[in-house]
Structures are given as structure tokens and as C-alpha cells.
Amino acid sequence: MSTASTQLPEGRYGRSSDQRADRKLRIAGSVLGTALLALIGYFAYHYVAQNEISAEVITFQASDDAVQVHLEVRKDAGSTGYCTLRSQSADGAEVGRADFRFSGSATRIDKVVTLRTTAQGTTAELLGCHAD
């Protein structure tokens, strides 16, 4: 009184169509994954290696109509560009935005810049730096 097996004998009829489809999907997924990683690597390299100017806000001091920002800029010797700063009020509204240019042969520049505002600013935020 044994139960008949519903499975086919292994190796007798070749690979099933599901196994062939799974293998093709794995190959296609591997190729697309590799291409995606290469694309991410390309953009990461150009973002990090090609950015000639970087900066950070060291400190800032706000008054009624301006924000004094101590900015430290690092750049390649001889490169020129600009950094964009903005200030927001306590309610989050933007009250000031300006671009500050940097040039010359120095690779590190410490500079205090004045960002004029339309109301009392409570922040000084560096939005980014770009080379010319």
C-alpha cells in the first residue's frame, strides 16, 4: 500500500523550463547590477575627485540685517569659484542668499563674509561650492 510518487525521475527528462528561466533571470540581474554599480562608481568619482572647491562654516553671528559667517575654503592652487550661503529666520523662511567668490593661488582660505538679510537670520548654511 504505497503511494505513487508524483515527481518525475531526476535526470530523465532534462532540465525543466523553470530552471532555464531562473538561470536567464540570474544572468540578466547580474549584468544589470554590475552596470548599476559601475554607474554609481562613475558619478561618485566625478563628485569627489572633480570637485576643486570645498568649504565649511566654522561659526556665524547673526544681527538684525546681516549674518557674519566665518568660512573656511579649501581649493586647488590657482582654481577659482564660488560658494553659496543662505540664512533662514526662526520660522524657516529664507531671509538671505548670496554667492561669495574665491580665487588666487592659496589652497586654504579663512574668510569672514557678510550675508545681508531681509530680517533677523538664525542660521548660516553652506549650500555648496562650485569651480568656474
Side-chain angles (χ1 to χ4, degrees):
M1 307 260 173
S2 66
T3 308
S5 174
T6 58
Q7 292 182 344
L8 298 175
E10 193 169 323
R12 185 167 183 180
Y13 299 105
R15 299 175 88 185
S16 72
S17 62
D18 286 343
Q19 288 175 333
R20 280 187 291 251
D22 287 347
R23 185 169 189 273
K24 288 180 183 177
L25 284 174
R26 266 188 267 135
I27 291 171
S30 297
V31 168
L32 289 175
T34 302
L36 180 64
L37 283 175
L39 187 64
I40 289 172
Y42 174 79
F43 285 123
Y45 170 76
H46 282 282
Y47 179 76
V48 173
Q50 300 298 322
N51 194 5
E52 298 174 346
I53 297 178
S54 65
E56 64 180 310
V57 173
I58 304 299
T59 185
F60 67 91
Q61 184 175 8
S63 64
D64 288 339
D65 62 347
V67 177
Q68 297 283 329
V69 181
H70 179 193
L71 193 62
E72 180 181 305
V73 179
R74 290 169 302 282
K75 64 182 189 65
D76 293 341
S79 66
T80 61
Y82 63 94
C83 293
T84 304
L85 294 170
R86 81 169 175 179
S87 181
Q88 293 178 311
S89 64
D91 64 356
E94 185 175 286
V95 293
R97 178 186 293 241
D99 292 334
F100 296 97
R101 299 202 59 76
F102 298 97
S103 60
S105 61
T107 59
R108 184 176 172 275
I109 301 170
D110 272 333
K111 191 171 184 180
V112 176
V113 295
T114 301
L115 175 62
R116 297 222 175 263
T117 59
T118 57
Q120 172 89 31
T122 58
T123 65
E125 181 181 4
L126 176 66
L127 296 179
C129 295
H130 304 281
D132 289 335

